[in-house]
């Protein structure tokens, strides 16, 4: 039995500057848990549990119950045997454990400067006035949510957006599973003519066969996101033949160690993306992205969605 770490944890809440609208509904407050592990020499590793239950992770309450029953200490054996039903806890604890290894940290800092970011635009017509300041900040890849208003309205805005954007800009469209088969076909038809990097999760998770069929019919790649929220789902989609893009949200996907093994073994085309975690989860997620993402921008351009950065009172 290895020496246990001291464990401290504290729940946090962060309010969005404006509620985030997706086809799942409106999201106003990001809640999660910040973890701190301390080893016997006094070294500290931080981690974050940032659940997204409507996306397939545990709830905040389940995560908190898990933390409470641990008490004030945790061993590596316990960290590496957290059940798959608690993927956000697996990520939070394992990344805190990894953060204790300073060698890994310095290696990753060097790689991080090479990352490019995609930026999430507000949904609807607001995208038309908000892309420009973001472009001026250096963003070149923009993500825009669809499947919220009618397809007619959204196509109209989309054409204006595509016309307005400079030629070197690229768009990612994310339907959050909110399109019908006919709508998905219509979007893919339109995308063929425009600088669209990919269409994300056009159909709901249950329609995997239809997603697979769509992916063979159009030149614009399709990315799975909701379909691959956890490592088990990711592996299942791969087994069933998915070879286009996988969106990985590290904070809810589960064990970083097993994710690393899977990505390295199968060399999947992965896009790493945020779940609106704080800087602590983001740091751990970007560490994984630097190791596992090949050439796609990461979806972590989300700063503008919160009033300020990490508030000190989150820290236990
Ligand atoms: Mg998505």
């Amino acid at each position: 039995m290895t020496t246990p770490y001291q464990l401290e944890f504290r729940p946090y809440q962060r309010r969005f500057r404006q509620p985030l609208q997706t086809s799942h509904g409106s999201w106003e407050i990001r809640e999660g848990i910040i973890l701190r592990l301390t080893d016997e020499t006094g070294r500290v590793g931080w981690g974050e549990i940032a659940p997204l239950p409507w996306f397939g992770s545990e709830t905040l309450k389940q995560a908190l119950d898990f933390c409470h029953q641990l008490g004030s200490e945790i061993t590596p054996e316990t960290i590496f045997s957290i059940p798959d039903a608690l993927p956000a806890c697996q990520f939070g604890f394992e990344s805190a454990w990894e953060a204790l290894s300073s060698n890994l940290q310095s290696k990753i800092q060097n790689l991080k400067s090479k990352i490019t970011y995609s930026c999430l635009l507000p949904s609807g017509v607001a995208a038309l006035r908000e892309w420009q300041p973001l472009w001026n900040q250096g963003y070149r890849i923009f993500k825009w949510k669809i499947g919220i208003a009618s397809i007619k309205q959204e196509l109209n805005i989309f054409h204006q957006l595509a016309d307005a954007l400079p030629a070197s800009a690229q768009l990612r469209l994310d339907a959050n599973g909110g399109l019908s088969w006919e709508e998905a076909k219509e979007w893919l038809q339109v995308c063929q003519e425009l600088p669209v990097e990919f269409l994300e999760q056009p159909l709901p998770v249950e329609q995997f066969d239809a997603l697979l069929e769509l992916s063979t019919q159009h030149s614009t790649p399709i990315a799975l996101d909701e379909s691959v929220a956890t490592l088990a789902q990711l592996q299942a989609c791969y087994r069933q033949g998915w070879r286009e893009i996988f969106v990985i949200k590290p904070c809810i996907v589960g064990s970083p160690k097993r994710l690393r093994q899977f990505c390295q073994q199968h060399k999947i085309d992965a896009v790493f993306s945020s779940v609106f975690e704080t800087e602590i989860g983001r740091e751990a997620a970007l560490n994984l992205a630097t190791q596992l993402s090949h050439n796609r921008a990461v979806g972590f351009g989300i700063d503008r969605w919160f009033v300020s950065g990490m508030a000190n009172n989150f820290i236990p």
Side-chain angles (χ1 to χ4, degrees):
M1 180 105 165
T2 40
T3 321
Y5 303 108
Q6 291 291 320
L7 165 65
E8 292 162 276
F9 62 91
R10 180 172 292 180
Y12 72 82
Q13 290 194 330
R14 253 179 135 192
R15 184 176 288 279
F16 286 97
R17 197 189 288 267
Q18 63 199 75
L20 181 68
Q21 307 295 340
T22 75
S23 75
H24 296 287
S26 177
W27 189 13
E28 293 174 14
I29 296 173
R30 202 313 155 231
E31 294 182 288
I33 303 166
I34 300 295
L35 306 171
R36 181 166 68 184
L37 301 183
T38 309
D39 72 9
E40 74 277 14
T41 67
R43 278 189 315 172
V44 166
W46 296 93
E48 176 175 355
I49 301 172
L52 207 57
W54 43 268
F55 222 90
S57 87
E58 69 271 49
T59 62
L60 179 69
K61 180 173 184 308
Q62 287 167 327
L64 268 176
D65 288 348
F66 178 76
C67 292
H68 279 297
Q69 57 83 35
L70 290 169
S72 59
E73 289 188 340
I74 189 166
T75 61
E77 289 81 1
T78 305
I79 291 174
F80 286 97
S81 56
I82 296 173
D84 287 346
L86 301 172
C89 289
Q90 287 180 337
F91 180 82
F93 278 97
E94 273 192 44
S95 52
W97 178 84
E98 287 182 358
L100 281 166
S101 161
S102 51
N103 285 345
L104 183 71
Q105 287 302 315
S106 54
K107 214 161 71 191
I108 283 159
Q109 287 304 335
N110 294 335
L111 291 170
K112 251 194 335 218
S113 56
K114 299 198 179 86
I115 294 182
T116 54
Y117 292 83
S118 85
C119 183
L120 178 63
L121 292 170
S123 51
V125 74
L128 294 177
R129 58 173 185 270
E130 295 202 24
W131 70 266
Q132 178 97 57
L134 295 164
W135 173 273
N136 295 342
Q137 285 169 35
Y139 289 107
R140 295 297 176 262
I141 302 180
F142 299 97
K143 179 161 166 173
W144 189 54
K145 298 278 187 184
I146 61 170
I148 304 164
S150 75
I151 186 166
K152 190 163 174 265
Q153 285 170 305
E154 288 183 345
L155 278 172
N156 182 16
I157 299 167
F158 174 66
H159 281 296
Q160 293 179 58
L161 184 61
D163 285 346
L165 286 171
S168 57
Q170 272 204 314
L171 276 164
R172 295 174 170 184
L173 297 177
D174 186 3
N176 288 109
L179 303 181
S180 67
W181 170 262
E182 290 72 26
E183 288 168 339
K185 299 276 290 179
E186 195 172 341
W187 272 107
L188 285 164
Q189 201 68 43
V190 172
C191 288
Q192 266 167 217
E193 317 292 318
L194 293 165
V196 175
E197 185 187 4
F198 56 77
L199 172 61
E200 192 170 316
Q201 197 75 39
L203 306 175
V205 175
E206 314 77 72
Q207 296 180 25
F208 179 78
D209 291 342
L211 284 159
L212 200 55
E213 195 181 332
L214 270 185
S215 75
T216 62
Q217 295 177 352
H218 298 272
S219 57
T220 304
I222 294 178
L224 294 185
D225 185 9
E226 280 85 343
S227 292
V228 295
T230 64
L231 186 56
Q233 287 174 292
L234 207 150
Q235 289 166 325
C237 288
Y238 185 85
R239 270 199 309 275
Q240 291 169 72
W242 191 263
R243 294 296 181 274
E244 292 206 316
I245 301 165
F246 295 81
V247 177
I248 297 176
K249 293 174 154 50
C251 287
I252 59 165
V253 79
S255 160
K257 183 174 161 211
R258 284 188 285 134
L259 177 71
R260 228 178 256 123
Q261 284 166 351
F262 180 79
C263 291
Q264 285 165 351
Q265 186 184 350
H266 297 292
K267 308 214 169 4
I268 60 171
D269 188 352
V271 171
F272 285 77
S273 178
S274 159
V275 291
F276 298 91
E277 58 285 287
T278 73
E279 282 81 344
I280 289 175
R282 174 190 169 101
E283 183 83 357
L286 288 175
N287 285 348
L288 269 174
T290 55
Q291 298 162 57
L292 303 177
S293 158
H294 300 294
N295 47 19
R296 303 231 180 233
V298 298
F300 282 84
I302 58 151
D303 293 343
R304 57 181 291 282
W305 289 87
F306 292 104
V307 174
S308 60
M310 179 80 183
N312 286 333
N313 61 7
F314 295 152
I315 310 292

